[in-house]
């Protein structure tokens, strides 16, 4: 591959990473917030390598010219056509950000199995409606033998994803490291108007009866009493209550 192509790829890749990590929040579509500094370091290293490659190419121009004057063989430095395809992902970092993970991913992933609460459950706060995470709701429904969630008004936040056969799920996508290891949490919602896919909403409702409450057979589902559209939270890839 000719040096100017290598230089361009290194510089554009580095600048793309730096732009995404330093000047936008788009990096959160791919990695956890704590990994931002790694993207910045990677961008700096790529830019540095591009600069060094450019300097090396400049120093080698004279030697290359002398080699051509002596007619030593053919020029084997032509760039393979397929190599130009490398510019597509590089340019996308600068000019086009792939969409965030959402309903398309959720529809193709089974719901994550939540961890067993070995230490038992504390009494629920008296707050009504009670803000709760999708994990917390699932654990209460399927593991809390006291059935404290029965009849309690709860408030969950997530985005809408379609359910097979109609209806919809309140959904959260979790990433442990990056988008490649994403898992999905889902709560089936009954009643009310079905929001458009990928719309972030806060749903207020009560547990939808199905199976044995407090056992693994219990339906992870909610009867919606109220629904409010909300902005996508900054901690969208965590199963946490919305910040602020």
């Amino acid at each position: 591959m000719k040096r100017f192509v290598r230089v361009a790829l290194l510089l554009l890749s580095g600048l793309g990473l730096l732009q995404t990590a330093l000047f936008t929040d788009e990096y959160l579509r791919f990695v956890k917030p704590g990994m931002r500094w790694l993207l910045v370091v990677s961008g700096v290293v790529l830019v540095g390598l591009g600069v060094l490659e450019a300097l090396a190419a400049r120093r080698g121009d004279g030697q290359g010219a002398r080699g051509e004057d002596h007619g030593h063989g053919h020029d084997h430095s032509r760039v393979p056509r397929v190599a130009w395809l490398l510019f597509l992902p590089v340019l996308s970092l600068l000019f086009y950000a792939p969409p965030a993970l959402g309903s398309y991913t959720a529809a193709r992933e089974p719901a994550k199995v939540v961890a067993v609460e070995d230490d038992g459950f504390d009494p629920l706060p008296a707050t009504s409606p009670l803000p709760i995470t999708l994990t917390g709701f699932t654990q209460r429904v399927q593991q809390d033998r006291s059935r404290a969630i029965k009849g309690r008004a709860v408030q969950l936040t997530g985005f809408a994803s379609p359910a097979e056969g109609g209806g919809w799920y309140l959904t959260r996508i979790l990433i442990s490291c990056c988008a490649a290891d994403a898992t999905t949490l889902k709560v089936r919602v009954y009643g009310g108007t079905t929001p458009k896919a990928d719309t972030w909403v806060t749903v207020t409702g009560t547990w939808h009866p199905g199976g044995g409450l407090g056992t693994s057979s219990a339906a992870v589902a909610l009867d919606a009493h109220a629904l409010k559209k909300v902005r996508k939270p900054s901690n969208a890839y965590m199963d946490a209550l919305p910040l602020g």
Side-chain angles (χ1 to χ4, degrees), residues 18-36:
L18 290 175
Q19 174 182 282
T20 301
L22 290 176
F23 304 110
T24 74
D25 290 330
E26 291 173 353
Y27 74 96
L28 293 173
R29 300 180 181 183
F30 317 110
V31 298
K32 296 178 68 174
M35 299 184 70
R36 185 177 197 172

Side-chain angles (χ1 to χ4, degrees), residues 144-156:
D144 185 3
R145 299 288 181 174
S146 72
R147 303 180 180 179
I149 203 73
K150 185 176 182 179
R152 285 296 305 269
V154 295
Q155 202 170 62
L156 292 84

Side-chain angles (χ1 to χ4, degrees), residues 128-179:
S128 185
L130 173 68
I132 191 170
T133 64
L134 274 65
T135 296
F137 179 76
T138 303
Q139 288 176 327
R140 287 285 182 173
V141 166
Q142 295 191 330
Q143 301 177 27
D144 185 3
R145 299 288 181 174
S146 72
R147 303 180 180 179
I149 203 73
K150 185 176 182 179
R152 285 296 305 269
V154 295
Q155 202 170 62
L156 292 84
T157 298
F159 65 87
S161 64
E164 292 183 9
W168 64 286
Y169 291 103
L170 188 69
T171 310
R172 282 272 191 161
I173 290 180
L174 285 64
I175 59 174
S176 299
C177 174
C178 60

Side-chain angles (χ1 to χ4, degrees), residues 45-69:
V45 169
L46 287 171
V47 170
L49 290 174
V51 171
L52 291 176
E53 184 71 13
L55 293 175
R58 185 175 181 180
R59 289 196 299 269
D61 281 345
Q63 296 177 357
R66 288 193 296 273
E68 291 176 1
D69 290 341

Side-chain angles (χ1 to χ4, degrees), residues 13-225:
S13 298
L15 292 174
L17 282 177
L18 290 175
Q19 174 182 282
T20 301
L22 290 176
F23 304 110
T24 74
D25 290 330
E26 291 173 353
Y27 74 96
L28 293 173
R29 300 180 181 183
F30 317 110
V31 298
K32 296 178 68 174
M35 299 184 70
R36 185 177 197 172
W37 69 273
L38 290 174
L39 295 181
V40 173
V41 170
S42 298
V44 171
V45 169
L46 287 171
V47 170
L49 290 174
V51 171
L52 291 176
E53 184 71 13
L55 293 175
R58 185 175 181 180
R59 289 196 299 269
D61 281 345
Q63 296 177 357
R66 288 193 296 273
E68 291 176 1
D69 290 341
H70 286 84
H72 293 304
H74 300 285
D75 180 11
H76 297 287
S77 63
R78 178 177 295 178
V79 180
R81 291 182 180 179
V82 70
W84 294 101
L85 295 177
L86 295 173
F87 279 96
L88 296 178
V90 169
L91 292 175
S92 71
L93 283 173
L94 288 168
F95 303 111
Y96 172 74
L101 299 178
S103 60
Y104 180 86
T105 301
R108 287 155 180 79
E109 291 287 335
K112 174 183 172 64
V113 178
V114 301
V116 175
E117 185 58 60
D118 294 322
D119 298 330
F121 293 90
D122 296 328
L124 288 173
T127 306
S128 185
L130 173 68
I132 191 170
T133 64
L134 274 65
T135 296
F137 179 76
T138 303
Q139 288 176 327
R140 287 285 182 173
V141 166
Q142 295 191 330
Q143 301 177 27
D144 185 3
R145 299 288 181 174
S146 72
R147 303 180 180 179
I149 203 73
K150 185 176 182 179
R152 285 296 305 269
V154 295
Q155 202 170 62
L156 292 84
T157 298
F159 65 87
S161 64
E164 292 183 9
W168 64 286
Y169 291 103
L170 188 69
T171 310
R172 282 272 191 161
I173 290 180
L174 285 64
I175 59 174
S176 299
C177 174
C178 60
D181 61 21
T183 56
T184 304
L185 286 169
K186 301 177 183 179
V187 174
R188 183 67 182 265
V189 181
Y190 294 91
T193 303
T194 301
K196 184 179 178 181
D198 295 309
T199 301
W200 279 82
V201 294
T202 294
V203 181
T204 302
T206 54
W207 174 65
H208 176 83
L213 184 60
T215 72
S216 59
S217 68
V220 184
L222 196 69
D223 284 324
H225 302 159

